[in-house]
Amino acid sequence: MTWLFDSHIHLSDSAYLPEIDFILTQMDSLKIKACCVSMNFENSLLTLSLSKKSDLVLPFIGIHPECANDNDLEKINDLIELNQNTISGIGEIGLDPTYCKNNDDTQRQIHVFESLLSSAEKFHKPVSIHSRKSLDDIFEIMTSYDTKHALLHWFDGSKKQLQKAMDMDFFVSFGPVMIYANDKQSLLSKANESKILVETDGPVRFSRCFEMKSGQISFIPSVIFSASKVLEKTFDDMSYLLEENTKRYLGI
């Protein structure tokens, strides 16, 4: 039986809390597993708690670049070590100049990112990377780290940057935007098929056909269907390819 995967979703976000039991039941019915990423230390604790409710939730703990100044780094690294045998990966981590007001903020983001990459290598865990407006900086930093189990989630770079990602052995993921965005479909068509994953990044909201609804894990079959059309595959073949890719990303 083929399992579907959402490679990047914030299921431990408060937006999902009122319906989380329904969502977990829905995941079981749709045969979808989810890489549940975290924002900071407190959110990482919620992610770990959620993963205990269902083995369909694959817990990723870390510090989002938006939270890099929350002084959670030591606590997160301790939490990673304490839960090294139960967590599926480390994330969401990365860089984003949108959240930087000065050079000190930039250097703090880099320090947090590199520290968590070191923990990922130490405990042999995959990483889910936030790279908005920072892909070239990510590439430069990652030359010093293992990229075979690193995901550039919601890939939004140029075709040249996509080729660089493929050359460096990154995974890249595409989400609901790809259903209606020609530029994302073009990027998908040029990616190495063995490096493609799908995601929702919920609770981010999506326009067009989604009417500004928050990303739901139930969107995943539609994303896979869209990808299958772009790559001229059947839905079943696309689902199998993505399952194999995700397993390699997770190291399972």
Side-chain angles (χ1 to χ4, degrees):
M1 179 185 67
T2 302
W3 279 92
L4 309 183
F5 286 85
D6 186 336
S7 66
H8 188 102
I9 184 171
H10 298 263
L11 273 182
S12 54
D13 188 278
S14 59
Y16 292 120
L17 185 59
E19 298 182 329
I20 194 61
D21 289 334
F22 170 75
I23 292 170
L24 294 175
T25 300
Q26 185 182 50
M27 288 168 63
D28 186 54
S29 297
L30 294 173
K31 301 303 177 188
I32 299 177
K33 297 182 181 182
C35 297
C36 178
V37 295
S38 306
M39 294 290 291
N40 53 30
F41 177 73
E42 295 299 328
N43 187 227
S44 292
L45 293 177
L46 292 174
T47 295
L48 289 171
S49 178
L50 181 59
S51 70
K52 293 176 182 177
K53 294 187 67 172
S54 171
D55 58 8
L56 301 181
V57 176
L58 310 176
F60 277 60
I61 61 178
I63 302 175
H64 188 284
E66 181 182 1
C67 304
N69 288 319
D70 286 355
N71 300 316
D72 281 350
L73 184 57
E74 184 176 353
K75 291 189 291 184
I76 281 287
N77 278 322
D78 288 345
L79 194 65
I80 291 169
E81 183 166 11
L82 183 64
N83 293 277
Q84 60 180 284
N85 294 324
T86 56
I87 62 173
S88 297
I90 294 175
E92 177 172 0
I93 62 175
L95 304 176
D96 190 335
T98 305
Y99 304 114
C100 296
K101 297 179 180 179
N102 50 50
N103 187 60
D104 287 345
D105 288 348
T106 300
Q107 293 306 311
R108 177 64 179 171
Q109 273 192 8
I110 292 171
H111 173 66
V112 170
F113 182 42
E114 291 182 336
S115 178
L116 292 171
L117 286 172
S118 294
S119 285
E121 287 204 336
K122 179 180 179 181
F123 298 112
H124 308 290
K125 299 298 179 181
V127 292
S128 193
I129 297 176
H130 178 106
S131 59
R132 183 169 59 178
K133 299 181 181 179
S134 58
L135 266 171
D136 291 336
D137 292 330
I138 295 285
F139 289 148
E140 183 176 353
I141 289 172
M142 292 299 291
T143 57
S144 301
Y145 297 90
D146 176 20
T147 59
K148 288 184 175 59
H149 299 281
L151 168 64
L152 297 172
H153 105 87
W154 193 313
F155 187 84
D156 193 31
S158 65
K159 291 177 182 178
K160 183 178 180 180
Q161 288 173 318
L162 175 64
Q163 187 56 55
K164 176 74 170 178
M166 297 297 94
D167 292 342
M168 291 183 68
D169 222 11
F170 281 101
F171 287 89
V172 292
S173 56
F174 299 88
V177 173
M178 183 189 60
I179 293 174
Y180 54 79
N182 291 335
D183 60 332
K184 298 298 184 292
Q185 294 177 10
S186 179
L187 285 171
L188 173 70
S189 70
K190 297 182 182 304
N192 183 329
E193 288 188 3
S194 68
K195 290 295 180 177
I196 294 168
L197 304 180
V198 291
E199 64 165 295
T200 60
D201 198 21
V204 168
R205 295 180 181 276
F206 296 95
S207 60
R208 306 288 183 87
C209 54
F210 295 105
E211 302 176 333
M212 293 308 297
K213 290 185 174 71
S214 291
Q216 302 294 323
I217 206 157
S218 56
F219 292 179
I220 284 293
S222 296
V223 178
I224 295 174
F225 180 76
S226 178
S228 73
K229 293 305 179 185
V230 172
L231 298 180
E232 299 181 338
K233 297 181 182 294
T234 66
F235 180 88
D236 287 346
D237 286 346
M238 191 75 226
S239 298
Y240 179 75
L241 171 67
L242 291 168
E243 179 184 38
E244 293 302 300
N245 289 355
T246 310
K247 286 181 176 179
R248 281 189 291 103
Y249 161 59
L250 294 171
I252 58 177

